[in-house]
Amino acid sequence: MKITTKKLKNGFELPVFGFGTWAVGGRETRDPFNNDKSDIRAIKTAIESGITHIDTAEMYAGGHAEELVGEAIKGFDRSNLIIVTKVSPEHLHYDDLINSAMNSLKRLRTGYIDIYLIHYPNPSIDIRETMEAMDYLVEKKYIRNIGVSNFNVSESIEAQENTSNKIVCNQVYYNLTHRGPVTDGSLQYAQKNDVMIVAWRPVEKGLFSRAKFDILGKLGKKYSKTGSQIAINWLVSQDNVVTISKTRNASHLKENLGALNWKMERSDIELLTNHFPGITESI
């Protein structure tokens, strides 16, 4: 399957759907009972299904998720993949950040990271120091692009003001029920300033297919799609918005991919935007 992409004015491009790895190999720490082979197979299946954007973090399973990604991508053409990882907020001092990047490269078994994100802002560490380290990594070609994650507008502006490189994306919690990036202005900032929003948890842990929402039932019948497919399609219908989701289940992966390469009518997108029940105005 060929997944469509979105491109910024500077040429940066991301597929509208990628594979996340939160809870792969464990949660905050490595799970010694985790089925690593199953997780590796899930990542490989995603790539074989057409997914090229793989997202991970040094925080996930204490770095083990990166190791599993590194194992999974061994047999694929690295130049066709977009490998994204994130530096933890406690590692944002200059030397700590560079050390984190080097360790991530080792665990991923790759010579470069396509997009390196600051996982969360840390107000106790000067952003100038952090972005100086990011610029160094770009200059030395250890990373190709800089991004942020869970940043609000003022944090995004401050980060961009302190780097000579373009911040290409902001990874945030955004879906039909969680509209924080809208209420805090992050979505509008990204659209105005040519930044990609990467929405995590797009199907709210299966809520949109599990729960009965009349509006999803109506639109699902109209388009012959599931609630989760409608929810993902709603996200990627928006300017500068792409999304990532994780699943170990092949049928769920197939369902997610069925959300792509078709369009809802504009009136239906607006209906979901304005009238979806139980909207949480979270930031």
Side-chain angles (χ1 to χ4, degrees):
M1 177 180 178
K2 178 66 174 176
I3 297 175
T4 57
T5 63
K6 293 187 180 182
K7 185 182 286 189
L8 299 182
K9 293 173 184 175
N10 72 342
F12 172 79
E13 195 169 3
L14 266 184
V16 297
F17 189 85
F19 190 88
T21 60
W22 165 242
V24 164
R27 295 177 74 84
E28 290 83 5
T29 58
R30 180 175 181 175
D31 179 0
F33 303 105
N34 182 71
N35 188 337
D36 287 355
K37 289 183 178 180
S38 176
D39 282 340
I40 291 168
R41 181 68 253 166
I43 298 166
K44 286 185 174 182
T45 299
I47 297 171
E48 289 163 356
S49 299
I51 292 175
T52 57
H53 173 190
I54 310 296
D55 177 89
T56 189
E58 68 170 352
M59 184 186 292
Y60 297 168
H64 188 47
E66 291 179 324
E67 292 174 336
L68 295 180
V69 169
E71 179 65 25
I73 67 175
K74 277 197 308 186
F76 297 96
D77 184 345
R78 175 67 181 87
S79 66
N80 291 333
L81 300 176
I82 301 167
I83 305 300
V84 181
T85 194
K86 301 183 276 293
V87 57
S88 300
E90 66 270 23
H91 295 155
L92 299 186
H93 284 300
Y94 187 92
D95 290 340
D96 293 340
L97 191 149
I98 292 172
N99 185 57
S100 282
M102 296 302 104
N103 287 332
S104 287
L105 286 166
K106 289 176 185 175
R107 289 190 290 264
L108 289 163
R109 304 184 210 176
T110 185
Y112 64 94
I113 296 163
D114 292 276
I115 319 172
Y116 199 40
L117 309 183
I118 302 171
H119 206 151
Y120 289 93
N122 185 344
S124 68
I125 297 176
D126 190 339
I127 193 66
R128 289 177 293 182
E129 180 181 359
T130 302
M131 301 317 293
E132 184 181 352
M134 285 288 206
D135 286 345
Y136 169 84
L137 291 171
V138 173
E139 179 187 347
K140 297 300 181 181
K141 303 189 186 315
Y142 291 118
I143 67 176
R144 294 190 168 177
N145 297 280
I146 295 171
V148 296
S149 181
N150 306 300
F151 272 47
N152 62 29
V153 173
S154 62
E155 290 161 344
S156 295
I157 291 171
E158 189 176 20
Q160 185 61 77
E161 287 177 344
N162 285 283
T163 173
S164 57
N165 291 285
K166 170 72 174 170
I167 293 176
V168 297
C169 65
N170 185 10
Q171 188 179 122
V172 294
Y173 185 14
Y174 182 37
N175 63 39
L176 277 173
T177 57
H178 286 266
R179 307 291 184 88
V182 177
T183 56
D184 77 354
S186 292
L187 175 61
Q188 298 89 329
Y189 171 83
Q191 291 169 336
K192 185 177 180 180
N193 292 276
D194 201 38
V195 176
M196 207 78 78
I197 288 289
V198 181
W200 55 269
R201 200 174 289 170
V203 297
E204 194 56 44
K205 299 181 178 179
L207 174 68
F208 304 127
S209 283
R210 186 176 68 248
K212 291 185 178 180
F213 296 102
D214 290 343
I215 189 170
L216 291 182
K218 177 183 176 183
L219 293 177
K221 187 174 182 180
K222 177 177 179 178
Y223 294 101
S224 299
K225 298 294 180 181
T226 67
S228 289
Q229 290 171 333
I230 295 291
I232 291 171
N233 193 275
W234 172 80
L235 276 171
V236 302
S237 72
Q238 299 169 53
D239 292 342
N240 294 64
V241 178
V242 301
T243 189
I244 54 172
S245 184
K246 184 211 77 178
T247 178
R248 292 183 174 96
N249 186 299
S251 64
H252 288 167
L253 175 63
K254 185 177 180 180
E255 179 184 5
N256 287 343
L257 293 175
L260 311 177
N261 298 345
W262 58 277
K263 291 184 178 181
M264 277 190 285
E265 294 175 9
R266 179 54 53 183
S267 59
D268 291 331
I269 294 168
E270 291 174 356
L271 186 67
L272 287 166
T273 300
N274 298 322
H275 300 290
F276 192 83
I279 291 174
T280 302
E281 296 296 344
S282 58
I283 296 178

